[in-house]
Amino acid sequence: MSDFDLVLKGTVVLPHRIVEGGHVAVRDGKVAHVGQRAAPSARERHELGKALILPGAIDAQVHSLSQKNQEDFIWSTRSAAAGGVTTIVDMPYDEGNLVSSAEAVRRKVAHAGPQARVDFALYGTIDPAEGPSRIGEMVEAGVAAFKFSTFGTDPKRFPRIPAALLEECFRAIAPTGLAAGVHNEDDEAVRAAIDKVKAAGISDYRAHGLSRPPLTELLATIQIYETGAATGCPAHVVHCSLGRGYEIAAAYRAQGHAATIECCIHYLTLDEENDVRRLGGKAKINPPIRPRAEVEKLWRHVAGGNVTLVSTDHVSWSEDRKTNPDMLANASGVPGLEVMVPLFVKGALERSIPLTRAAELMALNPARHFRLDHCKGALEAGKDADIIVMTPESYVYDAATSGNNVVGWSPYNGIRLPWRVTATYLRGRLAFDGRRVVAEPGTGAFVRPLPSLPIREPRQ
């Protein structure tokens, strides 16, 4: 009888190298062995030929509860499983429930646990009226990071944190080693730009980009990193649409500061002059989608090692909230969990970027960033056997026919993808078989940093 429960043989993609004819062996839900050439026997064994075997992705930015009675974890984690995402990190801005206390964290864990088909970690935030007083209790409750915003989307659900209060929060977080992630748009500059666009009578697809020009994003980015430098807190920009932002982050790291930066898959895929023009509100995202020249700058930063994480900023707004002819009247954000990994693989291959970046930016670095690398993020002995299998099978993505989304729309509809996720394993168990999600609700578990975990910088 074999010592292994599962062995997968194919092209193993690791952060540092690609192992042709490699194999991953699994025992008791953990990676037991990664090797090359002859694969050992197992109770379940799959010879996958040229298929890619990657570590399960960790999506660093998911909004499962932004719209009441809409997606919830029952659907977000279903989309995740179908897309090779084995852990989601959910945001604290839930409609009707700001996750800003230990009790709110416990309520969310209790709510998500029975629904989740993949594992989940949680962000915490603050209620501006309370300040940083509950940061310590949320750390004890298991949050993996904190999230703030320099722009006020909604005074209750998604409030602006003024500069002085943001500094207080960073000082409270610094001793914990957790990261302070911040939505990077300058409130005053954005509101002035919005007023200018409205006064000019512009309401079509151009309105959103004009209402949030590059400087509004870059001013906030510098504030975030300077606040981190002043307090010793790991400072993280949660989404950057501009090549200049990655240059700024790299400069702070060169000066010895913990300055990380995240690129969402929509900034690597969509552009303003083609996709926003065509899709209107269905491509409205904060910060905005930028011109194609900026998209290619971001890929150069991916290739050059200046990007820390790649995520989705996933949110499944109902279609009626994304189809207003007045561009600025639409909700901001798009779904992406089901296609982040295939889109990244497509983009990397088209630009001759090694797929090691996929294992690094969507698995290893997120695990390190959220202090989950004791169990997540790598095809490495002792880590959870979270695995993606991808086969070279060209297909056109259509959210309406996939069956794994609560909404039937996607800004990525119609894109031809050269590699398909044909299996997702969560802790060694099949979660997605290439056609349907087989993981039942409740399969996923809450994951959290270890107490007093030493600070480890994500790979750059």
Short mmCIF file of all heavy atoms in Angstrom, two decimals, residues 6-13 19-26 33-42 44-54 379 387-391 425:
data_model
loop_
_atom_site.label_atom_id
_atom_site.label_comp_id
_atom_site.label_asym_id
_atom_site.label_seq_id
_atom_site.Cartn_x
_atom_site.Cartn_y
_atom_site.Cartn_z
N LEU A 6 -2.19 11.03 -2.75
CA LEU A 6 -2.37 11.62 -4.08
C LEU A 6 -1.00 11.95 -4.65
O LEU A 6 -0.13 12.48 -3.95
CB LEU A 6 -3.21 12.90 -3.96
CG LEU A 6 -3.36 13.77 -5.21
CD1 LEU A 6 -4.22 13.07 -6.25
CD2 LEU A 6 -3.96 15.13 -4.84
N VAL A 7 -0.81 11.64 -5.93
CA VAL A 7 0.37 12.08 -6.66
C VAL A 7 -0.07 12.66 -8.00
O VAL A 7 -0.86 12.04 -8.72
CB VAL A 7 1.38 10.93 -6.88
CG1 VAL A 7 2.43 11.34 -7.91
CG2 VAL A 7 2.06 10.55 -5.58
N LEU A 8 0.40 13.86 -8.30
CA LEU A 8 0.14 14.52 -9.57
C LEU A 8 1.47 14.68 -10.30
O LEU A 8 2.44 15.20 -9.72
CB LEU A 8 -0.49 15.89 -9.36
CG LEU A 8 -1.79 15.94 -8.56
CD1 LEU A 8 -2.22 17.38 -8.30
CD2 LEU A 8 -2.90 15.19 -9.28
N LYS A 9 1.52 14.26 -11.56
CA LYS A 9 2.76 14.36 -12.34
C LYS A 9 2.52 15.23 -13.57
O LYS A 9 1.57 15.02 -14.31
CB LYS A 9 3.24 12.98 -12.77
CG LYS A 9 4.57 12.99 -13.54
CD LYS A 9 5.07 11.61 -13.81
CE LYS A 9 6.32 11.61 -14.71
NZ LYS A 9 7.45 12.34 -14.12
N GLY A 10 3.37 16.25 -13.75
CA GLY A 10 3.26 17.16 -14.88
C GLY A 10 4.37 18.19 -14.81
O GLY A 10 5.47 17.89 -14.32
N THR A 11 4.10 19.41 -15.25
CA THR A 11 5.06 20.50 -15.17
C THR A 11 4.79 21.29 -13.91
O THR A 11 3.78 22.00 -13.82
CB THR A 11 4.96 21.42 -16.41
OG1 THR A 11 5.21 20.64 -17.59
CG2 THR A 11 5.96 22.55 -16.33
N VAL A 12 5.67 21.14 -12.93
CA VAL A 12 5.47 21.77 -11.62
C VAL A 12 6.05 23.18 -11.64
O VAL A 12 7.23 23.38 -11.93
CB VAL A 12 6.11 20.93 -10.50
CG1 VAL A 12 5.89 21.60 -9.14
CG2 VAL A 12 5.53 19.52 -10.50
N VAL A 13 5.20 24.15 -11.33
CA VAL A 13 5.60 25.56 -11.36
C VAL A 13 5.85 26.04 -9.93
O VAL A 13 4.93 26.12 -9.12
CB VAL A 13 4.52 26.43 -12.04
CG1 VAL A 13 4.97 27.89 -12.08
CG2 VAL A 13 4.23 25.92 -13.45
N VAL A 19 9.74 22.77 -12.99
CA VAL A 19 10.21 21.38 -12.98
C VAL A 19 9.46 20.60 -14.05
O VAL A 19 8.31 20.20 -13.84
CB VAL A 19 10.03 20.74 -11.59
CG1 VAL A 19 10.64 19.33 -11.58
CG2 VAL A 19 10.66 21.61 -10.50
N GLU A 20 10.11 20.39 -15.20
CA GLU A 20 9.50 19.57 -16.25
C GLU A 20 9.48 18.12 -15.81
O GLU A 20 10.47 17.62 -15.25
CB GLU A 20 10.31 19.71 -17.55
CG GLU A 20 10.44 21.13 -18.07
CD GLU A 20 9.18 21.64 -18.76
OE1 GLU A 20 8.25 20.83 -18.95
OE2 GLU A 20 9.16 22.83 -19.11
N GLY A 21 8.38 17.43 -16.07
CA GLY A 21 8.29 16.04 -15.64
C GLY A 21 8.38 15.89 -14.14
O GLY A 21 8.92 14.91 -13.61
N GLY A 22 7.83 16.87 -13.44
CA GLY A 22 7.88 16.84 -11.97
C GLY A 22 6.65 16.19 -11.37
O GLY A 22 5.70 15.83 -12.08
N HIS A 23 6.65 16.05 -10.08
CA HIS A 23 5.48 15.50 -9.41
C HIS A 23 5.34 16.08 -8.01
O HIS A 23 6.32 16.56 -7.41
CB HIS A 23 5.55 13.96 -9.32
CG HIS A 23 6.74 13.45 -8.58
ND1 HIS A 23 7.89 13.03 -9.22
CD2 HIS A 23 6.98 13.28 -7.25
CE1 HIS A 23 8.77 12.63 -8.33
NE2 HIS A 23 8.24 12.77 -7.13
N VAL A 24 4.10 16.09 -7.54
CA VAL A 24 3.77 16.52 -6.18
C VAL A 24 3.06 15.37 -5.50
O VAL A 24 2.07 14.83 -6.02
CB VAL A 24 2.87 17.77 -6.20
CG1 VAL A 24 2.51 18.18 -4.77
CG2 VAL A 24 3.54 18.92 -6.93
N ALA A 25 3.57 14.97 -4.35
CA ALA A 25 2.96 13.88 -3.57
C ALA A 25 2.32 14.45 -2.31
O ALA A 25 2.90 15.32 -1.65
CB ALA A 25 4.02 12.84 -3.20
N VAL A 26 1.13 13.95 -2.00
CA VAL A 26 0.32 14.49 -0.91
C VAL A 26 0.00 13.39 0.09
O VAL A 26 -0.32 12.26 -0.29
CB VAL A 26 -1.00 15.08 -1.47
CG1 VAL A 26 -1.91 15.55 -0.34
CG2 VAL A 26 -0.71 16.21 -2.45
N HIS A 33 6.03 15.73 -0.66
CA HIS A 33 7.25 15.58 -1.44
C HIS A 33 7.03 16.22 -2.81
O HIS A 33 5.96 16.08 -3.41
CB HIS A 33 7.57 14.09 -1.60
CG HIS A 33 8.66 13.79 -2.58
ND1 HIS A 33 9.98 14.09 -2.35
CD2 HIS A 33 8.62 13.19 -3.80
CE1 HIS A 33 10.71 13.70 -3.38
NE2 HIS A 33 9.90 13.15 -4.27
N VAL A 34 8.03 16.94 -3.31
CA VAL A 34 8.04 17.46 -4.68
C VAL A 34 9.31 16.94 -5.33
O VAL A 34 10.41 17.10 -4.78
CB VAL A 34 8.01 19.00 -4.71
CG1 VAL A 34 8.08 19.51 -6.15
CG2 VAL A 34 6.75 19.53 -4.03
N GLY A 35 9.15 16.27 -6.47
CA GLY A 35 10.31 15.68 -7.11
C GLY A 35 10.22 15.71 -8.62
O GLY A 35 9.35 16.36 -9.21
N GLN A 36 11.14 14.96 -9.25
CA GLN A 36 11.22 14.93 -10.70
C GLN A 36 11.44 13.51 -11.17
O GLN A 36 11.88 12.65 -10.41
CB GLN A 36 12.38 15.83 -11.18
CG GLN A 36 12.33 16.19 -12.65
CD GLN A 36 13.37 17.24 -13.02
OE1 GLN A 36 14.32 17.46 -12.29
NE2 GLN A 36 13.18 17.90 -14.15
N ARG A 37 11.10 13.26 -12.42
CA ARG A 37 11.22 11.97 -13.08
C ARG A 37 10.22 10.98 -12.52
O ARG A 37 9.04 11.30 -12.43
CB ARG A 37 12.66 11.46 -13.01
CG ARG A 37 13.66 12.39 -13.70
CD ARG A 37 15.07 11.83 -13.73
NE ARG A 37 15.98 12.80 -14.32
CZ ARG A 37 16.62 13.72 -13.61
NH1 ARG A 37 16.48 13.76 -12.31
NH2 ARG A 37 17.41 14.59 -14.22
N ALA A 38 10.64 9.79 -12.13
CA ALA A 38 9.69 8.74 -11.75
C ALA A 38 8.87 9.15 -10.54
O ALA A 38 9.42 9.48 -9.48
CB ALA A 38 10.43 7.44 -11.45
N ALA A 39 7.55 9.14 -10.72
CA ALA A 39 6.66 9.54 -9.62
C ALA A 39 6.35 8.32 -8.76
O ALA A 39 6.20 7.21 -9.27
CB ALA A 39 5.38 10.13 -10.18
N PRO A 40 6.23 8.50 -7.47
CA PRO A 40 5.91 7.37 -6.59
C PRO A 40 4.46 6.92 -6.77
O PRO A 40 3.64 7.63 -7.35
CB PRO A 40 6.14 7.94 -5.19
CG PRO A 40 5.91 9.41 -5.34
CD PRO A 40 6.38 9.76 -6.71
N SER A 41 4.16 5.74 -6.27
CA SER A 41 2.78 5.26 -6.31
C SER A 41 1.96 5.96 -5.23
O SER A 41 2.50 6.54 -4.29
CB SER A 41 2.75 3.75 -6.10
OG SER A 41 3.33 3.41 -4.86
N ALA A 42 0.65 5.91 -5.41
CA ALA A 42 -0.26 6.56 -4.47
C ALA A 42 -1.63 5.94 -4.61
O ALA A 42 -1.92 5.26 -5.61
CB ALA A 42 -0.33 8.06 -4.73
N GLU A 44 -4.22 7.55 -5.20
CA GLU A 44 -4.77 8.23 -6.38
C GLU A 44 -3.61 8.88 -7.11
O GLU A 44 -2.85 9.66 -6.52
CB GLU A 44 -5.80 9.29 -5.96
CG GLU A 44 -6.43 10.02 -7.11
CD GLU A 44 -7.42 11.09 -6.65
OE1 GLU A 44 -7.80 11.09 -5.47
OE2 GLU A 44 -7.79 11.94 -7.48
N ARG A 45 -3.46 8.55 -8.39
CA ARG A 45 -2.29 9.02 -9.14
C ARG A 45 -2.74 9.50 -10.51
O ARG A 45 -3.51 8.83 -11.19
CB ARG A 45 -1.29 7.87 -9.28
CG ARG A 45 0.10 8.25 -9.78
CD ARG A 45 1.01 7.02 -9.60
NE ARG A 45 2.37 7.29 -10.01
CZ ARG A 45 2.83 7.15 -11.25
NH1 ARG A 45 1.99 6.75 -12.21
NH2 ARG A 45 4.09 7.39 -11.53
N HIS A 46 -2.25 10.69 -10.92
CA HIS A 46 -2.64 11.25 -12.20
C HIS A 46 -1.40 11.64 -13.00
O HIS A 46 -0.60 12.47 -12.56
CB HIS A 46 -3.53 12.48 -12.01
CG HIS A 46 -4.82 12.19 -11.32
ND1 HIS A 46 -5.89 11.60 -11.96
CD2 HIS A 46 -5.22 12.41 -10.03
CE1 HIS A 46 -6.89 11.46 -11.11
NE2 HIS A 46 -6.50 11.94 -9.92
N GLU A 47 -1.25 11.02 -14.17
CA GLU A 47 -0.21 11.40 -15.14
C GLU A 47 -0.81 12.49 -16.02
O GLU A 47 -1.70 12.22 -16.84
CB GLU A 47 0.21 10.19 -15.97
CG GLU A 47 0.86 9.08 -15.17
CD GLU A 47 2.36 9.27 -15.01
OE1 GLU A 47 2.91 10.22 -15.64
OE2 GLU A 47 2.98 8.51 -14.26
N LEU A 48 -0.34 13.72 -15.88
CA LEU A 48 -0.99 14.87 -16.49
C LEU A 48 -0.27 15.40 -17.73
O LEU A 48 -0.67 16.44 -18.27
CB LEU A 48 -1.14 15.98 -15.45
CG LEU A 48 -1.98 15.60 -14.22
CD1 LEU A 48 -1.85 16.65 -13.14
CD2 LEU A 48 -3.44 15.38 -14.60
N GLY A 49 0.77 14.73 -18.17
CA GLY A 49 1.47 15.15 -19.38
C GLY A 49 2.05 16.54 -19.25
O GLY A 49 2.83 16.82 -18.35
N LYS A 50 1.66 17.42 -20.18
CA LYS A 50 2.20 18.79 -20.21
C LYS A 50 1.45 19.75 -19.30
O LYS A 50 1.73 20.96 -19.30
CB LYS A 50 2.16 19.32 -21.64
CG LYS A 50 3.00 18.54 -22.64
CD LYS A 50 4.48 18.76 -22.40
CE LYS A 50 5.31 18.11 -23.50
NZ LYS A 50 6.76 18.31 -23.29
N ALA A 51 0.48 19.26 -18.57
CA ALA A 51 -0.31 20.14 -17.70
C ALA A 51 0.59 20.86 -16.70
O ALA A 51 1.62 20.34 -16.25
CB ALA A 51 -1.37 19.34 -16.97
N LEU A 52 0.17 22.09 -16.36
CA LEU A 52 0.85 22.86 -15.32
C LEU A 52 0.30 22.49 -13.96
O LEU A 52 -0.92 22.37 -13.78
CB LEU A 52 0.65 24.36 -15.56
CG LEU A 52 1.10 24.94 -16.90
CD1 LEU A 52 0.71 26.41 -16.98
CD2 LEU A 52 2.60 24.76 -17.09
N ILE A 53 1.18 22.33 -12.99
CA ILE A 53 0.80 22.10 -11.60
C ILE A 53 1.34 23.28 -10.80
O ILE A 53 2.56 23.46 -10.68
CB ILE A 53 1.36 20.77 -11.08
CG1 ILE A 53 0.85 19.59 -11.93
CG2 ILE A 53 0.99 20.57 -9.61
CD1 ILE A 53 1.54 18.27 -11.63
N LEU A 54 0.43 24.10 -10.28
CA LEU A 54 0.81 25.32 -9.56
C LEU A 54 0.28 25.28 -8.13
O LEU A 54 -0.69 24.57 -7.84
CB LEU A 54 0.24 26.57 -10.25
CG LEU A 54 0.64 26.85 -11.68
CD1 LEU A 54 -0.50 26.49 -12.62
CD2 LEU A 54 1.01 28.33 -11.85
N LEU A 379 4.15 24.83 -2.90
CA LEU A 379 4.21 23.38 -3.05
C LEU A 379 5.50 22.94 -2.37
O LEU A 379 6.54 22.76 -3.00
CB LEU A 379 4.20 23.00 -4.54
CG LEU A 379 2.94 23.41 -5.30
CD1 LEU A 379 3.07 23.07 -6.78
CD2 LEU A 379 1.69 22.76 -4.71
N ILE A 387 -3.59 23.04 -4.61
CA ILE A 387 -2.96 22.81 -5.91
C ILE A 387 -3.91 23.17 -7.04
O ILE A 387 -5.11 22.89 -6.98
CB ILE A 387 -2.55 21.32 -6.05
CG1 ILE A 387 -1.63 20.90 -4.89
CG2 ILE A 387 -1.86 21.06 -7.39
CD1 ILE A 387 -1.41 19.40 -4.79
N ILE A 388 -3.35 23.77 -8.10
CA ILE A 388 -4.07 24.03 -9.35
C ILE A 388 -3.47 23.16 -10.44
O ILE A 388 -2.25 23.06 -10.56
CB ILE A 388 -3.92 25.49 -9.81
CG1 ILE A 388 -4.20 26.50 -8.70
CG2 ILE A 388 -4.80 25.76 -11.02
CD1 ILE A 388 -3.82 27.93 -9.07
N VAL A 389 -4.34 22.56 -11.24
CA VAL A 389 -3.91 21.89 -12.47
C VAL A 389 -4.50 22.67 -13.64
O VAL A 389 -5.70 22.96 -13.66
CB VAL A 389 -4.38 20.42 -12.53
CG1 VAL A 389 -4.02 19.79 -13.88
CG2 VAL A 389 -3.78 19.62 -11.38
N MET A 390 -3.63 23.05 -14.60
CA MET A 390 -4.07 23.77 -15.79
C MET A 390 -3.62 23.01 -17.03
O MET A 390 -2.48 22.54 -17.09
CB MET A 390 -3.51 25.19 -15.81
CG MET A 390 -3.91 26.04 -14.63
SD MET A 390 -3.37 27.77 -14.80
CE MET A 390 -4.55 28.39 -16.00
N THR A 391 -4.52 22.90 -18.00
CA THR A 391 -4.19 22.21 -19.23
C THR A 391 -4.26 23.17 -20.41
O THR A 391 -5.03 24.13 -20.40
CB THR A 391 -5.15 21.03 -19.48
OG1 THR A 391 -6.50 21.52 -19.48
CG2 THR A 391 -5.00 19.98 -18.40
N TYR A 425 -7.36 21.54 -5.99
CA TYR A 425 -7.33 20.72 -4.78
C TYR A 425 -7.16 21.63 -3.57
O TYR A 425 -6.30 22.52 -3.55
CB TYR A 425 -6.16 19.73 -4.82
CG TYR A 425 -6.31 18.64 -5.86
CD1 TYR A 425 -5.86 18.85 -7.16
CD2 TYR A 425 -6.89 17.42 -5.54
CE1 TYR A 425 -6.00 17.85 -8.13
CE2 TYR A 425 -7.02 16.41 -6.50
CZ TYR A 425 -6.57 16.65 -7.79
OH TYR A 425 -6.70 15.66 -8.73
#
